[in-house]
Amino acid sequence: PAIRICDGYSMTARVTMSRGAPLVFALLLACFSPFADTFALSGVALNRPMGCARTRISASRCFMKDSAAGEHIVDPLAVAGKANVEMRQKVEKMLREVQNFVCKSVEEVDGLAKFRRDEWTREDGGGGVSAVLAGGKVWEKAGVNLAVVHGTMPVEALYAANDKLIGDETVNLKPGEKVPFFACGLSSVMHPRNPHCPTMHFNYRYFEAANGLWWFGGGTDITPVYVDKEDMKHFHGVYNRVCDKHDPAFYPKFKKWADDYFVIKHRGETRGLGGIFFDDLADRNPEKIFDFARECAMAVPEAYLPIIKKHRDDPFTEEQKRWQLLRRGRYVEFNLVYDRGTIFGLQTGLGRVESMLMTLPELASWEYDHHPAPGSPEAEIMDCFRKPRDWV
């Protein structure tokens, strides 16, 4: 039978029965865990209980097509009428707009390369659009990846995605129980050619699960290899202004969260010079958090691209390029050693490797026991990495 499940974003559905199916624990960790640099694992399947109803949707405007069938698979939350369909549509629409806006803005600054878009689907519900730029004039590599996925997962995976739920009696979920979920997110990383141009990463996401659980997460952070205090004042100033517009407590709280998370523990240094990071945000009206997340995401070009324009034509030496590659090695170390989503996906083999490793730079290097010369620009930024500071 046909089921009308939403208006505006035009989706209709028919219900079919499916016996079991393979399972996707990694998707949550690698795409939507609070700590995911790696985003949009495609080709990962989610287990569903035997005999569980599976709903497919044909849609005129939603992108999650089921390959040749041209259909969608709807999660149990939507079928049970427990989904915030309006918010889902708003988040997906907003993140698609951000993806297009960021890609267009970056292409204009690069002046040479264009983003290659790769639409992918997941057998048990959802899909995404990976946009990757390579071989540009300004950027060696940049990616802006969108994923909208749904299905069921073990309750243990839910706790891994939001550890605040552990021990919360109001959640009322049993060990081993399969939990329906929906997750939508956009993640990006950009690696420029010029050592004076910083790498930038952002991720914004929305999550729903059983028993009315929902939350937003996200953030934007910057990783230069040389300190330019005016650049950092500009970057942090943009997000300080955006945060203050919504809640004066946001910027200091989310700035510290970024400083505390992006730490390469075995090196005793941060990956970059921070930004903002937040997760499990559900302490106020979801419309207000949506507005905050949208403004943060749309602020990426304003915060980042003026810095790129300022430095893209700066002259640099072979030694400065060498230092950039060494710092990229640190970026790789963090992503492969500490990013929980990357670790889980690689260890289990459940993830799509190309999507997981999109965040890594094309070129990086390691040198034995390297130490920058005292008093050098390289030593200056190392001090910043070891002692996070305020920029605004």
Side-chain angles (χ1 to χ4, degrees):
I3 303 174
R4 182 81 176 168
I5 67 169
C6 69
D7 294 316
Y9 218 48
S10 186
M11 297 191 294
T12 56
R14 74 173 187 272
V15 179
T16 60
M17 296 299 293
S18 157
R19 286 185 59 94
L23 174 60
V24 182
F25 179 29
L27 193 56
L28 262 247
L29 290 173
C31 290
F32 301 102
S33 92
F35 313 111
D37 262 343
T38 301
F39 182 79
L41 283 182
S42 58
V44 189
L46 254 166
N47 272 342
R48 178 183 287 104
M50 295 294 286
C52 168
R54 184 170 74 177
T55 305
R56 292 182 178 270
I57 295 182
S58 58
S60 61
R61 295 171 61 188
C62 295
F63 71 89
M64 298 180 294
K65 293 182 180 178
D66 232 355
S67 61
E71 298 175 331
H72 293 233
I73 302 171
V74 180
D75 64 282
L77 288 174
V79 175
K82 297 180 179 180
N84 188 340
V85 176
E86 182 179 358
M87 181 56 69
R88 293 183 179 195
Q89 294 170 358
K90 286 183 64 172
V91 173
E92 178 182 343
K93 182 175 183 292
M94 178 267 285
L95 293 180
R96 286 165 62 88
E97 290 171 351
V98 172
Q99 184 183 43
N100 291 335
F101 177 54
V102 170
C103 289
K104 182 176 183 294
S105 300
V106 168
E107 288 176 348
E108 289 175 354
V109 173
D110 189 88
L112 176 64
K114 300 293 183 181
F115 280 90
R116 170 190 168 188
R117 294 175 184 263
D118 175 24
E119 292 193 10
W120 52 268
T121 59
R122 193 168 65 80
E123 180 182 352
D124 290 303
V129 180
S130 296
V132 179
L133 177 151
K137 181 179 179 181
V138 176
W139 284 275
E140 288 182 0
K141 184 180 181 183
V144 189
N145 292 347
L146 173 69
V148 184
V149 295
H150 43 76
T152 59
M153 62 181 175
V155 67
E156 291 78 12
L158 177 64
Y159 292 150
N162 187 341
D163 57 11
K164 291 182 180 179
L165 301 177
I166 299 174
D168 186 345
E169 295 181 358
T170 64
V171 175
N172 193 30
L173 295 171
K174 300 176 182 178
E177 183 177 348
K178 296 294 192 299
V179 181
F181 80 95
F182 168 89
C184 179
L186 183 71
S187 184
S188 173
V189 66
M190 301 189 184
H191 296 289
R193 295 185 181 278
N194 193 309
H196 299 291
C197 292
T199 289
M200 184 276 305
H201 159 260
F202 73 83
N203 181 298
Y204 292 93
R205 57 197 174 273
Y206 171 70
F207 195 98
E208 287 182 13
N211 296 345
L213 294 171
W214 63 270
W215 65 86
F216 285 83
T220 307
D221 61 278
I222 196 163
T223 305
V225 302
Y226 289 101
V227 181
D228 185 313
K229 294 179 181 178
E230 290 302 312
D231 291 349
M232 294 304 99
K233 183 178 179 180
H234 167 77
F235 180 85
H236 283 267
V238 169
Y239 281 100
N240 188 12
R241 187 192 74 238
V242 172
C243 287
D244 283 353
K245 179 178 175 181
H246 295 267
D247 189 328
F250 277 174
Y251 178 75
K253 178 180 179 180
F254 298 157
K255 193 265 185 189
K256 184 179 187 303
W257 201 337
D259 288 341
D260 291 344
Y261 176 68
F262 293 106
V263 175
I264 309 170
K265 297 184 177 76
H266 61 276
R267 298 285 189 180
E269 62 195 52
T270 58
R271 186 180 73 177
L273 297 185
I276 62 166
F277 183 88
F278 63 92
D279 203 54
D280 313 331
L281 193 58
D283 63 348
R284 60 200 71 195
N285 188 304
E287 294 290 341
K288 292 184 179 296
I289 306 177
F290 170 85
D291 290 341
F292 171 64
R294 182 184 187 281
E295 191 162 355
C296 286
M298 293 297 284
V300 167
E302 178 190 356
Y304 180 54
L305 295 184
I307 299 173
I308 298 298
K309 292 178 182 178
K310 176 180 173 182
H311 295 292
R312 62 186 171 186
D313 297 320
D314 286 0
F316 58 89
T317 66
E318 185 176 336
E319 280 300 305
Q320 289 171 330
K321 186 66 179 180
R322 173 190 171 208
W323 174 244
Q324 180 195 45
L325 297 181
L326 286 170
R327 290 309 307 175
R328 284 183 177 179
R330 298 290 208 269
Y331 202 96
V332 171
E333 288 178 26
F334 177 86
N335 284 25
L336 296 183
V337 177
Y338 296 108
D339 185 87
R340 296 195 312 183
T342 306
I343 293 168
F344 187 90
L346 291 177
Q347 287 182 347
T348 62
L350 292 176
R352 180 175 181 252
V353 174
E354 289 300 318
S355 294
M356 286 192 294
L357 301 185
M358 181 280 296
T359 61
L360 303 182
E362 288 187 353
L363 301 173
S365 69
W366 288 260
E367 294 183 15
Y368 178 74
D369 199 26
H370 180 275
H371 297 279
S376 66
E378 292 80 8
E380 179 186 12
I381 198 166
M382 283 303 302
D383 188 57
C384 296
F385 293 147
R386 292 178 179 133
K387 303 171 186 175
R389 59 204 61 191
D390 294 328
W391 299 103
V392 294

